[in-house]
Amino acid sequence: MPRISVQYLLSSLSGLLDQYSSSKILGVSSALLAQLTKIGFLHKNLPVSHLYSVFFAAGDVTPWNALIAALSRQGFPVIAIQAFSVMHRIALPLESYSLCSSLSAASSPQANALNLGKQIHAYALKSGEMSSIFLGGALIDFYSRTDDIQGAHQVFDEIPVRNTVCLNALLNGYVEKKLWMEGLSLFRIFYSLRLDPDDRTISAVLRICAEMSFSRLGMQCHAHLVRRISGVEKDVFLLSSLVEMYGKCGLVGKVHFVFRMFDHAAGEGRRDVVLWTSLLNAYGRNGLFDEVISTFEEMLVEGTEPDEIVMLAVLSACARSGNVMKGLLYLESMVKEYKLAPRHEHYSCVVDLLCRAGELGKAWEFVDEIASEDSGNGGIMFAVSAWGAILSACRDSGNVKIGKLAFQRAIQLDQDNVGMHVELSNLYARVGMWDELAELRNFMVDKGIKKDIGFSRLEIGN
């Protein structure tokens, strides 16, 4: 359906307002626009006058609410905001439903409408709409999505009634900003407010436990899910969160147990690729690289198609286990069999694989080959880690020429990378190039480039 046909339909509906009941025509119009946005026929540059002409005679907010909600959901936040502005301009009452939909549109990166969200917040305070628990949750979600976590917390303090949705919106805001301890502090007040955490709450807390290695709290969340959330064994999203949490806490036995929970619940059902990815990453994070490869092959036997993230986990396992032939075979199958386009992370894993196996020459040939396929711009196709692998191999073999080239490519991507400067200094020290070593260290001091000091944290006690 071309763009002109959409305009013609809207104009025709507008003309029917004079002949038939406006409420019926408006209902059809809003339903039509909702369907057009769903199936992609509504052009983003469709003139606003055509889009709203059929709605101007409406004294009812219902079709407007439906229009704004449909546009916001289907990826047209700018047009949704324009519809909200027109609705306000023609003096239609602004209800909680239209305000919530407009806040969702305003939080979209495409709209970049932070000021509109704050204006809606001010309107809600003055009009008394802050008493709506739905609008309170929408405001918290808006501020969280726009990286204003203080604004989200302010709204949380302002709303008179709080429910689990409101707390989840703020909790997810803390998690996205990696404010782990603040998120845990918020989680602790759930029961003081006589609210029960739901699956979304536990999922956010599990991510905090994974990042902070809070294994005991993670196991308590697991127990809560089993006792209070029905059907957790079939919820791939929750199972993946549990697998990731146990994997980052180093509890590999628990990882396998959670993964097999799906078998007992789903019978012959096929596990989602996300769940397989969580298992592969958990094994790889704990050094079980052979299990990564065997699990990947089990996944293929089950009939689950791999994606780019799965292939990255497998290639990384091949690199660390020294399985050169399988690693190269998997990279080839990624393109030919699974029709996936390798990214710089995949190529970097292959470079690391060859360097760890002592094949520095083949690694450099591989880089040149990819560079030639990429119009000679091979530096962009490889991450800093790939050049670090080559430089590390050069340090072991004493190859200064290739080591310098790898260092130059790496600093084009990250000029202040500490690891690359340290590796080059180690290479100079190995071959006895003391003048160059002193010059490099003086450069690091002048630029303030320092090696990070490692530290560990242990969870002690109950």
Side-chain angles (χ1 to χ4, degrees):
M1 183 185 294
R3 197 174 94 177
I4 186 64
S5 298
V6 178
Q7 297 177 8
Y8 175 75
L9 280 173
L10 295 175
S11 300
S12 300
L13 286 168
S14 180
L16 290 174
L17 284 171
D18 297 331
Q19 305 175 33
Y20 299 97
S21 168
S22 62
S23 60
K24 292 182 179 180
I25 299 301
L26 290 170
V28 173
S29 302
S30 58
L32 171 64
L33 287 171
Q35 291 300 317
L36 289 173
T37 56
K38 285 182 181 180
I39 60 180
F41 283 153
L42 183 58
H43 196 280
K44 292 186 178 182
N45 296 322
L46 186 67
V48 177
S49 59
H50 288 280
L51 187 61
Y52 308 139
S53 60
V54 73
F55 289 92
F56 277 121
D60 184 12
V61 299
T62 303
W64 283 95
N65 290 342
L67 171 66
I68 296 171
L71 290 169
S72 178
R73 282 196 305 267
Q74 301 302 326
F76 298 92
V78 175
I79 304 179
I81 292 171
Q82 291 174 344
F84 176 75
S85 300
V86 173
M87 180 181 177
H88 184 48
R89 194 180 307 134
I90 61 177
L92 287 175
L94 302 180
E95 299 179 339
S96 173
Y97 191 92
S98 57
L99 294 172
C100 291
S101 299
S102 300
L103 282 170
S104 177
S107 65
S108 170
Q110 296 173 314
N112 191 23
L114 181 60
N115 287 335
L116 174 63
K118 292 182 177 180
Q119 290 169 4
I120 293 176
H121 185 185
Y123 174 83
L125 288 171
K126 290 188 288 186
S127 64
E129 288 288 346
M130 285 298 290
S131 60
S132 169
I133 197 169
F134 303 106
L135 182 57
L139 278 168
I140 293 173
D141 184 65
F142 164 77
Y143 282 117
S144 298
R145 289 176 180 271
T146 54
D147 294 331
D148 187 356
I149 200 67
Q150 291 183 343
H153 194 89
Q154 178 185 343
V155 173
F156 182 77
D157 292 336
E158 290 173 352
I159 55 178
V161 181
R162 306 179 182 99
N163 63 359
T164 303
V165 175
C166 295
L167 268 76
N168 284 346
L170 184 57
L171 179 59
N172 286 323
Y174 282 135
V175 170
E176 291 301 320
K177 294 288 287 184
K178 299 183 179 180
L179 299 172
W180 313 123
M181 300 310 297
E182 289 82 352
L184 283 180
S185 298
L186 179 65
F187 175 62
R188 291 191 181 99
I189 73 171
F190 258 83
Y191 294 102
S192 65
L193 294 175
R194 297 182 180 180
L195 297 174
D196 288 329
D198 59 11
D199 54 344
R200 293 179 180 272
T201 312
I202 299 302
S203 178
V205 176
L206 284 173
R207 183 177 171 188
I208 296 174
C209 295
E211 296 297 333
M212 300 296 291
S213 296
F214 289 158
S215 58
R216 288 184 177 84
L217 178 58
M219 286 188 280
Q220 291 172 7
C221 290
H222 185 182
H224 175 87
L225 287 173
V226 173
R227 292 196 310 267
R228 306 292 293 274
I229 308 296
S230 61
V232 63
E233 299 86 357
K234 297 180 182 180
D235 192 322
V236 175
F237 183 73
L238 282 175
L239 291 179
S240 299
S241 298
L242 282 169
V243 168
E244 183 179 359
M245 184 273 296
Y246 282 128
K248 289 189 174 181
C249 291
L251 302 174
V252 182
K254 296 280 188 181
V255 168
H256 189 76
F257 171 77
V258 171
F259 183 78
R260 296 302 173 190
M261 285 173 62
F262 186 87
D263 291 339
H264 299 293
E268 299 297 325
R270 182 181 299 177
R271 283 165 289 215
D272 188 85
V273 67
V274 176
L275 185 57
W276 284 105
T277 303
S278 299
L279 180 64
L280 293 171
N281 286 332
Y283 282 151
R285 190 175 290 112
N286 289 278
L288 302 175
F289 305 121
D290 292 336
E291 281 78 358
V292 173
I293 297 173
S294 62
T295 302
F296 173 67
E297 293 176 349
E298 179 186 349
M299 184 189 83
L300 297 180
V301 170
E302 189 177 280
T304 303
E305 287 282 327
D307 59 9
E308 292 87 353
I309 301 176
V310 168
M311 297 306 301
L312 182 61
V314 175
L315 288 173
S316 179
C318 291
R320 284 161 175 76
S321 62
N323 206 325
V324 178
M325 294 305 297
K326 276 195 172 182
L328 296 175
L329 181 63
Y330 288 147
L331 180 68
E332 183 180 0
S333 66
M334 183 178 176
V335 178
K336 294 183 177 180
E337 187 172 351
Y338 305 118
K339 311 302 180 184
L340 300 173
R343 299 197 295 260
H344 64 85
E345 297 97 337
H346 302 95
Y347 291 129
S348 298
C349 276
V350 174
V351 172
D352 186 33
L353 167 70
L354 294 171
C355 289
R356 286 174 182 266
E359 300 288 352
L360 178 59
K362 290 184 178 179
W364 193 254
E365 289 176 4
F366 178 76
V367 170
D368 281 341
E369 180 182 350
I370 300 300
S372 63
E373 294 177 0
D374 191 41
S375 302
N377 200 10
I380 295 178
M381 293 303 298
F382 294 94
V384 174
S385 60
W387 302 114
I390 292 178
L391 183 53
S392 179
C394 291
R395 179 202 62 198
D396 296 335
S397 62
N399 192 321
V400 178
K401 180 180 178 181
I402 294 181
K404 283 185 174 181
L405 290 174
F407 176 78
Q408 292 297 328
R409 291 290 185 89
I411 63 173
Q412 288 177 6
L413 301 173
D414 184 3
Q415 61 181 357
D416 295 326
N417 187 281
V418 178
M420 297 303 299
H421 287 84
V422 172
E423 283 290 350
L424 184 60
S425 65
N426 291 338
L427 172 59
Y428 285 152
R430 188 186 191 284
V431 298
M433 299 176 63
W434 307 115
D435 293 339
E436 288 80 356
L437 175 60
E439 182 181 348
L440 178 60
R441 287 185 174 174
N442 290 333
F443 174 80
M444 293 174 65
V445 171
D446 293 339
K447 290 289 186 179
I449 301 175
K450 296 181 180 180
K451 186 176 180 180
D452 295 332
I453 300 175
F455 66 91
S456 300
R457 183 180 56 81
L458 299 176
E459 184 180 3
I460 300 174
N462 294 322

mmCIF file with all atom_site columns, all heavy atoms in Angstrom, residues 7-24:
data_model
loop_
_atom_site.group_PDB
_atom_site.id
_atom_site.type_symbol
_atom_site.label_atom_id
_atom_site.label_alt_id
_atom_site.label_comp_id
_atom_site.label_asym_id
_atom_site.label_entity_id
_atom_site.label_seq_id
_atom_site.pdbx_PDB_ins_code
_atom_site.Cartn_x
_atom_site.Cartn_y
_atom_site.Cartn_z
_atom_site.occupancy
_atom_site.B_iso_or_equiv
_atom_site.pdbx_formal_charge
_atom_site.auth_seq_id
_atom_site.auth_comp_id
_atom_site.auth_asym_id
_atom_site.auth_atom_id
_atom_site.pdbx_PDB_model_num
ATOM 1   N N   . GLN A 1 7  ? -3.057  8.280  2.753  1.00 0.00 ? 7  GLN A N   1
ATOM 2   C CA  . GLN A 1 7  ? -3.631  9.622  2.823  1.00 0.00 ? 7  GLN A CA  1
ATOM 3   C C   . GLN A 1 7  ? -5.062  9.624  2.284  1.00 0.00 ? 7  GLN A C   1
ATOM 4   O O   . GLN A 1 7  ? -5.947  10.284 2.844  1.00 0.00 ? 7  GLN A O   1
ATOM 5   C CB  . GLN A 1 7  ? -2.763  10.595 2.038  1.00 0.00 ? 7  GLN A CB  1
ATOM 6   C CG  . GLN A 1 7  ? -1.353  10.742 2.582  1.00 0.00 ? 7  GLN A CG  1
ATOM 7   C CD  . GLN A 1 7  ? -0.513  11.658 1.717  1.00 0.00 ? 7  GLN A CD  1
ATOM 8   O OE1 . GLN A 1 7  ? -1.013  12.282 0.805  1.00 0.00 ? 7  GLN A OE1 1
ATOM 9   N NE2 . GLN A 1 7  ? 0.767   11.735 2.018  1.00 0.00 ? 7  GLN A NE2 1
ATOM 10  N N   . TYR A 1 8  ? -5.294  8.894  1.201  1.00 0.00 ? 8  TYR A N   1
ATOM 11  C CA  . TYR A 1 8  ? -6.621  8.851  0.601  1.00 0.00 ? 8  TYR A CA  1
ATOM 12  C C   . TYR A 1 8  ? -7.625  8.210  1.567  1.00 0.00 ? 8  TYR A C   1
ATOM 13  O O   . TYR A 1 8  ? -8.766  8.685  1.718  1.00 0.00 ? 8  TYR A O   1
ATOM 14  C CB  . TYR A 1 8  ? -6.569  8.055  -0.696 1.00 0.00 ? 8  TYR A CB  1
ATOM 15  C CG  . TYR A 1 8  ? -7.927  7.855  -1.350 1.00 0.00 ? 8  TYR A CG  1
ATOM 16  C CD1 . TYR A 1 8  ? -8.551  8.901  -2.033 1.00 0.00 ? 8  TYR A CD1 1
ATOM 17  C CD2 . TYR A 1 8  ? -8.576  6.633  -1.263 1.00 0.00 ? 8  TYR A CD2 1
ATOM 18  C CE1 . TYR A 1 8  ? -9.796  8.729  -2.618 1.00 0.00 ? 8  TYR A CE1 1
ATOM 19  C CE2 . TYR A 1 8  ? -9.826  6.447  -1.838 1.00 0.00 ? 8  TYR A CE2 1
ATOM 20  C CZ  . TYR A 1 8  ? -10.426 7.499  -2.521 1.00 0.00 ? 8  TYR A CZ  1
ATOM 21  O OH  . TYR A 1 8  ? -11.656 7.317  -3.086 1.00 0.00 ? 8  TYR A OH  1
ATOM 22  N N   . LEU A 1 9  ? -7.212  7.124  2.231  1.00 0.00 ? 9  LEU A N   1
ATOM 23  C CA  . LEU A 1 9  ? -8.098  6.462  3.185  1.00 0.00 ? 9  LEU A CA  1
ATOM 24  C C   . LEU A 1 9  ? -8.487  7.400  4.316  1.00 0.00 ? 9  LEU A C   1
ATOM 25  O O   . LEU A 1 9  ? -9.656  7.499  4.702  1.00 0.00 ? 9  LEU A O   1
ATOM 26  C CB  . LEU A 1 9  ? -7.419  5.213  3.758  1.00 0.00 ? 9  LEU A CB  1
ATOM 27  C CG  . LEU A 1 9  ? -7.435  3.956  2.883  1.00 0.00 ? 9  LEU A CG  1
ATOM 28  C CD1 . LEU A 1 9  ? -6.567  2.880  3.517  1.00 0.00 ? 9  LEU A CD1 1
ATOM 29  C CD2 . LEU A 1 9  ? -8.856  3.455  2.702  1.00 0.00 ? 9  LEU A CD2 1
ATOM 30  N N   . LEU A 1 10 ? -7.493  8.115  4.848  1.00 0.00 ? 10 LEU A N   1
ATOM 31  C CA  . LEU A 1 10 ? -7.776  9.025  5.956  1.00 0.00 ? 10 LEU A CA  1
ATOM 32  C C   . LEU A 1 10 ? -8.681  10.171 5.521  1.00 0.00 ? 10 LEU A C   1
ATOM 33  O O   . LEU A 1 10 ? -9.587  10.589 6.251  1.00 0.00 ? 10 LEU A O   1
ATOM 34  C CB  . LEU A 1 10 ? -6.461  9.556  6.533  1.00 0.00 ? 10 LEU A CB  1
ATOM 35  C CG  . LEU A 1 10 ? -5.560  8.508  7.200  1.00 0.00 ? 10 LEU A CG  1
ATOM 36  C CD1 . LEU A 1 10 ? -4.239  9.154  7.606  1.00 0.00 ? 10 LEU A CD1 1
ATOM 37  C CD2 . LEU A 1 10 ? -6.236  7.894  8.401  1.00 0.00 ? 10 LEU A CD2 1
ATOM 38  N N   . SER A 1 11 ? -8.426  10.701 4.325  1.00 0.00 ? 11 SER A N   1
ATOM 39  C CA  . SER A 1 11 ? -9.268  11.783 3.820  1.00 0.00 ? 11 SER A CA  1
ATOM 40  C C   . SER A 1 11 ? -10.702 11.305 3.609  1.00 0.00 ? 11 SER A C   1
ATOM 41  O O   . SER A 1 11 ? -11.663 12.022 3.889  1.00 0.00 ? 11 SER A O   1
ATOM 42  C CB  . SER A 1 11 ? -8.688  12.329 2.512  1.00 0.00 ? 11 SER A CB  1
ATOM 43  O OG  . SER A 1 11 ? -7.398  12.829 2.713  1.00 0.00 ? 11 SER A OG  1
ATOM 44  N N   . SER A 1 12 ? -10.843 10.086 3.110  1.00 0.00 ? 12 SER A N   1
ATOM 45  C CA  . SER A 1 12 ? -12.184 9.530  2.889  1.00 0.00 ? 12 SER A CA  1
ATOM 46  C C   . SER A 1 12 ? -12.929 9.351  4.207  1.00 0.00 ? 12 SER A C   1
ATOM 47  O O   . SER A 1 12 ? -14.118 9.650  4.319  1.00 0.00 ? 12 SER A O   1
ATOM 48  C CB  . SER A 1 12 ? -12.071 8.184  2.170  1.00 0.00 ? 12 SER A CB  1
ATOM 49  O OG  . SER A 1 12 ? -11.437 8.341  0.910  1.00 0.00 ? 12 SER A OG  1
ATOM 50  N N   . LEU A 1 13 ? -12.223 8.860  5.214  1.00 0.00 ? 13 LEU A N   1
ATOM 51  C CA  . LEU A 1 13 ? -12.848 8.694  6.522  1.00 0.00 ? 13 LEU A CA  1
ATOM 52  C C   . LEU A 1 13 ? -13.266 10.041 7.100  1.00 0.00 ? 13 LEU A C   1
ATOM 53  O O   . LEU A 1 13 ? -14.301 10.163 7.748  1.00 0.00 ? 13 LEU A O   1
ATOM 54  C CB  . LEU A 1 13 ? -11.884 7.982  7.474  1.00 0.00 ? 13 LEU A CB  1
ATOM 55  C CG  . LEU A 1 13 ? -11.702 6.479  7.228  1.00 0.00 ? 13 LEU A CG  1
ATOM 56  C CD1 . LEU A 1 13 ? -10.520 5.960  8.031  1.00 0.00 ? 13 LEU A CD1 1
ATOM 57  C CD2 . LEU A 1 13 ? -12.968 5.725  7.597  1.00 0.00 ? 13 LEU A CD2 1
ATOM 58  N N   . SER A 1 14 ? -12.432 11.066 6.874  1.00 0.00 ? 14 SER A N   1
ATOM 59  C CA  . SER A 1 14 ? -12.773 12.403 7.353  1.00 0.00 ? 14 SER A CA  1
ATOM 60  C C   . SER A 1 14 ? -14.057 12.900 6.692  1.00 0.00 ? 14 SER A C   1
ATOM 61  O O   . SER A 1 14 ? -14.912 13.517 7.339  1.00 0.00 ? 14 SER A O   1
ATOM 62  C CB  . SER A 1 14 ? -11.622 13.364 7.071  1.00 0.00 ? 14 SER A CB  1
ATOM 63  O OG  . SER A 1 14 ? -11.935 14.656 7.524  1.00 0.00 ? 14 SER A OG  1
ATOM 64  N N   . GLY A 1 15 ? -14.237 12.626 5.388  1.00 0.00 ? 15 GLY A N   1
ATOM 65  C CA  . GLY A 1 15 ? -15.441 13.051 4.690  1.00 0.00 ? 15 GLY A CA  1
ATOM 66  C C   . GLY A 1 15 ? -16.692 12.339 5.169  1.00 0.00 ? 15 GLY A C   1
ATOM 67  O O   . GLY A 1 15 ? -17.790 12.899 5.127  1.00 0.00 ? 15 GLY A O   1
ATOM 68  N N   . LEU A 1 16 ? -16.537 11.110 5.661  1.00 0.00 ? 16 LEU A N   1
ATOM 69  C CA  . LEU A 1 16 ? -17.693 10.355 6.136  1.00 0.00 ? 16 LEU A CA  1
ATOM 70  C C   . LEU A 1 16 ? -18.253 10.884 7.451  1.00 0.00 ? 16 LEU A C   1
ATOM 71  O O   . LEU A 1 16 ? -19.367 10.530 7.850  1.00 0.00 ? 16 LEU A O   1
ATOM 72  C CB  . LEU A 1 16 ? -17.310 8.883  6.309  1.00 0.00 ? 16 LEU A CB  1
ATOM 73  C CG  . LEU A 1 16 ? -17.054 8.099  5.018  1.00 0.00 ? 16 LEU A CG  1
ATOM 74  C CD1 . LEU A 1 16 ? -16.549 6.706  5.355  1.00 0.00 ? 16 LEU A CD1 1
ATOM 75  C CD2 . LEU A 1 16 ? -18.331 7.998  4.181  1.00 0.00 ? 16 LEU A CD2 1
ATOM 76  N N   . LEU A 1 17 ? -17.474 11.726 8.149  1.00 0.00 ? 17 LEU A N   1
ATOM 77  C CA  . LEU A 1 17 ? -17.937 12.263 9.432  1.00 0.00 ? 17 LEU A CA  1
ATOM 78  C C   . LEU A 1 17 ? -19.231 13.061 9.277  1.00 0.00 ? 17 LEU A C   1
ATOM 79  O O   . LEU A 1 17 ? -20.040 13.142 10.207 1.00 0.00 ? 17 LEU A O   1
ATOM 80  C CB  . LEU A 1 17 ? -16.852 13.145 10.062 1.00 0.00 ? 17 LEU A CB  1
ATOM 81  C CG  . LEU A 1 17 ? -15.665 12.395 10.701 1.00 0.00 ? 17 LEU A CG  1
ATOM 82  C CD1 . LEU A 1 17 ? -14.577 13.394 11.074 1.00 0.00 ? 17 LEU A CD1 1
ATOM 83  C CD2 . LEU A 1 17 ? -16.116 11.628 11.936 1.00 0.00 ? 17 LEU A CD2 1
ATOM 84  N N   . ASP A 1 18 ? -19.423 13.692 8.104  1.00 0.00 ? 18 ASP A N   1
ATOM 85  C CA  . ASP A 1 18 ? -20.614 14.507 7.884  1.00 0.00 ? 18 ASP A CA  1
ATOM 86  C C   . ASP A 1 18 ? -21.851 13.655 7.643  1.00 0.00 ? 18 ASP A C   1
ATOM 87  O O   . ASP A 1 18 ? -22.972 14.140 7.756  1.00 0.00 ? 18 ASP A O   1
ATOM 88  C CB  . ASP A 1 18 ? -20.403 15.442 6.693  1.00 0.00 ? 18 ASP A CB  1
ATOM 89  C CG  . ASP A 1 18 ? -19.269 16.427 6.953  1.00 0.00 ? 18 ASP A CG  1
ATOM 90  O OD1 . ASP A 1 18 ? -19.048 16.770 8.130  1.00 0.00 ? 18 ASP A OD1 1
ATOM 91  O OD2 . ASP A 1 18 ? -18.613 16.837 5.970  1.00 0.00 ? 18 ASP A OD2 1
ATOM 92  N N   . GLN A 1 19 ? -21.664 12.385 7.281  1.00 0.00 ? 19 GLN A N   1
ATOM 93  C CA  . GLN A 1 19 ? -22.789 11.551 6.887  1.00 0.00 ? 19 GLN A CA  1
ATOM 94  C C   . GLN A 1 19 ? -23.187 10.531 7.956  1.00 0.00 ? 19 GLN A C   1
ATOM 95  O O   . GLN A 1 19 ? -24.327 10.137 8.056  1.00 0.00 ? 19 GLN A O   1
ATOM 96  C CB  . GLN A 1 19 ? -22.463 10.796 5.593  1.00 0.00 ? 19 GLN A CB  1
ATOM 97  C CG  . GLN A 1 19 ? -22.039 11.710 4.453  1.00 0.00 ? 19 GLN A CG  1
ATOM 98  C CD  . GLN A 1 19 ? -21.618 10.918 3.222  1.00 0.00 ? 19 GLN A CD  1
ATOM 99  O OE1 . GLN A 1 19 ? -22.163 9.849  2.965  1.00 0.00 ? 19 GLN A OE1 1
ATOM 100 N NE2 . GLN A 1 19 ? -20.662 11.440 2.460  1.00 0.00 ? 19 GLN A NE2 1
ATOM 101 N N   . TYR A 1 20 ? -22.212 10.066 8.746  1.00 0.00 ? 20 TYR A N   1
ATOM 102 C CA  . TYR A 1 20 ? -22.480 8.993  9.690  1.00 0.00 ? 20 TYR A CA  1
ATOM 103 C C   . TYR A 1 20 ? -22.060 9.425  11.103 1.00 0.00 ? 20 TYR A C   1
ATOM 104 O O   . TYR A 1 20 ? -21.488 10.484 11.314 1.00 0.00 ? 20 TYR A O   1
ATOM 105 C CB  . TYR A 1 20 ? -21.733 7.717  9.299  1.00 0.00 ? 20 TYR A CB  1
ATOM 106 C CG  . TYR A 1 20 ? -22.131 7.189  7.950  1.00 0.00 ? 20 TYR A CG  1
ATOM 107 C CD1 . TYR A 1 20 ? -21.368 7.479  6.820  1.00 0.00 ? 20 TYR A CD1 1
ATOM 108 C CD2 . TYR A 1 20 ? -23.283 6.417  7.802  1.00 0.00 ? 20 TYR A CD2 1
ATOM 109 C CE1 . TYR A 1 20 ? -21.730 6.991  5.571  1.00 0.00 ? 20 TYR A CE1 1
ATOM 110 C CE2 . TYR A 1 20 ? -23.659 5.928  6.559  1.00 0.00 ? 20 TYR A CE2 1
ATOM 111 C CZ  . TYR A 1 20 ? -22.886 6.222  5.448  1.00 0.00 ? 20 TYR A CZ  1
ATOM 112 O OH  . TYR A 1 20 ? -23.244 5.748  4.221  1.00 0.00 ? 20 TYR A OH  1
ATOM 113 N N   . SER A 1 21 ? -22.320 8.550  12.048 1.00 0.00 ? 21 SER A N   1
ATOM 114 C CA  . SER A 1 21 ? -21.964 8.806  13.447 1.00 0.00 ? 21 SER A CA  1
ATOM 115 C C   . SER A 1 21 ? -20.459 8.973  13.586 1.00 0.00 ? 21 SER A C   1
ATOM 116 O O   . SER A 1 21 ? -19.694 8.113  13.141 1.00 0.00 ? 21 SER A O   1
ATOM 117 C CB  . SER A 1 21 ? -22.448 7.640  14.325 1.00 0.00 ? 21 SER A CB  1
ATOM 118 O OG  . SER A 1 21 ? -21.890 7.730  15.611 1.00 0.00 ? 21 SER A OG  1
ATOM 119 N N   . SER A 1 22 ? -20.072 10.094 14.194 1.00 0.00 ? 22 SER A N   1
ATOM 120 C CA  . SER A 1 22 ? -18.639 10.356 14.320 1.00 0.00 ? 22 SER A CA  1
ATOM 121 C C   . SER A 1 22 ? -17.954 9.326  15.195 1.00 0.00 ? 22 SER A C   1
ATOM 122 O O   . SER A 1 22 ? -16.800 8.966  14.959 1.00 0.00 ? 22 SER A O   1
ATOM 123 C CB  . SER A 1 22 ? -18.412 11.759 14.904 1.00 0.00 ? 22 SER A CB  1
ATOM 124 O OG  . SER A 1 22 ? -18.968 11.851 16.207 1.00 0.00 ? 22 SER A OG  1
ATOM 125 N N   . SER A 1 23 ? -18.649 8.823  16.225 1.00 0.00 ? 23 SER A N   1
ATOM 126 C CA  . SER A 1 23 ? -18.011 7.856  17.118 1.00 0.00 ? 23 SER A CA  1
ATOM 127 C C   . SER A 1 23 ? -17.668 6.566  16.377 1.00 0.00 ? 23 SER A C   1
ATOM 128 O O   . SER A 1 23 ? -16.607 5.974  16.585 1.00 0.00 ? 23 SER A O   1
ATOM 129 C CB  . SER A 1 23 ? -18.915 7.547  18.314 1.00 0.00 ? 23 SER A CB  1
ATOM 130 O OG  . SER A 1 23 ? -20.147 6.997  17.871 1.00 0.00 ? 23 SER A OG  1
ATOM 131 N N   . LYS A 1 24 ? -18.574 6.142  15.464 1.00 0.00 ? 24 LYS A N   1
ATOM 132 C CA  . LYS A 1 24 ? -18.289 4.929  14.707 1.00 0.00 ? 24 LYS A CA  1
ATOM 133 C C   . LYS A 1 24 ? -17.119 5.137  13.752 1.00 0.00 ? 24 LYS A C   1
ATOM 134 O O   . LYS A 1 24 ? -16.229 4.290  13.637 1.00 0.00 ? 24 LYS A O   1
ATOM 135 C CB  . LYS A 1 24 ? -19.538 4.499  13.922 1.00 0.00 ? 24 LYS A CB  1
ATOM 136 C CG  . LYS A 1 24 ? -20.681 4.020  14.801 1.00 0.00 ? 24 LYS A CG  1
ATOM 137 C CD  . LYS A 1 24 ? -21.858 3.568  13.960 1.00 0.00 ? 24 LYS A CD  1
ATOM 138 C CE  . LYS A 1 24 ? -23.001 3.072  14.840 1.00 0.00 ? 24 LYS A CE  1
ATOM 139 N NZ  . LYS A 1 24 ? -24.162 2.635  14.022 1.00 0.00 ? 24 LYS A NZ  1
#
